[in-house]
């Protein structure tokens, strides 16, 4: 299966991926370029895959890992496609956890935890970003101090 580097909407992604297994393959493609890399010893070579347990076994250290190991999806019981839906919802604007829960068909507590994990991951990813020029946030306008 060929994967695009980016999807424009959740509906496009769902039409293309359709199943949880394809979603796992997509994550493997994004993380490793389709070639599994052990999250324990960083070996990127021969690995075996257990379809039933959805885990890889490293050919070097013999430890098991999955496509979600070391990500915000690790140890989740929520289907990956629902995580993708939550990511699209949260990055496209503010959404209350009760509304997200309805969209994910999950309880509010689960939706809140998913939202917090996604927001934390976005925050950590943006910590090293330095903004320049004119930056607009909500109704505020920040410009560089040109008098300094």
């Amino acid at each position: 299966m060929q994967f695009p580097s980016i999807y424009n909407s959740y509906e496009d992604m769902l039409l293309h991926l359709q199943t949880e297994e394809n979603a796992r393959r997509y994550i493997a493609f994004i993380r490793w370029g389709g070639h599994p890399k052990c999250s324990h010893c960083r070996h990127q070579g021969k690995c075996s895959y257990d379809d039933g347990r959805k885990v890889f076994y490293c050919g070097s250290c013999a430890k098991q890992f999955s496509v979600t190991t070391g990500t915000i999806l690790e140890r989740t019981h929520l289907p990956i496609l629902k995580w993708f839906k939550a990511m699209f919802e949260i990055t496209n604007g503010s959404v209350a956890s009760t509304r997200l829960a309805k969209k994910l068909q999950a309880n509010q507590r689960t939706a809140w935890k998913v939202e917090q994990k996604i927001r934390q991951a976005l925050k950590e990813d943006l910590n090293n970003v330095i903004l320049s020029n004119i930056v607009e946030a909500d109704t505020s306008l920040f410009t560089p101090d040109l008098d300094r």
Side-chain angles (χ1 to χ4, degrees), residues 96-109:
S97 61
T98 51
R99 185 164 176 235
L100 184 61
K102 287 178 184 174
K103 290 187 177 237
L104 299 180
Q105 297 175 335
N107 66 42
Q108 186 270 336
R109 185 173 182 226

Side-chain angles (χ1 to χ4, degrees), residues 4 11 15 20 27 32-33 36 41 45 47 49 65 72 79 88 101 125-126 128 139:
E11 289 74 21
L15 278 172
E20 282 295 302
I27 293 172
W32 307 312
C41 71
C47 294
Y49 184 70
F65 62 97
I72 61 173
F88 272 104
D125 193 42
L126 292 175
N128 296 325
T139 58

Side-chain angles (χ1 to χ4, degrees), residues 1-75:
M1 174 176 235
Q2 296 289 344
F3 298 110
S5 59
I6 192 167
Y7 289 99
N8 294 323
S9 70
Y10 175 72
E11 289 74 21
D12 289 345
M13 177 183 270
L14 192 58
L15 278 172
H16 190 252
L17 296 180
Q18 297 180 348
T19 65
E20 282 295 302
E21 187 56 37
N22 286 342
R24 288 184 175 282
R25 288 185 183 134
Y26 179 63
I27 293 172
F29 171 75
I30 295 297
R31 286 190 76 185
W32 307 312
H35 305 289
K37 183 177 185 178
C38 178
S39 44
H40 303 286
C41 71
R42 301 289 178 220
H43 174 74
Q44 191 166 16
K46 187 173 179 172
C47 294
S48 58
Y49 184 70
D50 184 342
D51 278 327
R53 297 189 62 219
K54 309 287 188 238
V55 295
F56 291 93
Y57 293 95
C58 179
S60 178
C61 70
K63 292 187 178 179
Q64 66 182 27
F65 62 97
S66 74
V67 295
T68 60
T69 302
T71 70
I72 61 173
L73 305 175
E74 187 172 11
R75 298 178 186 262

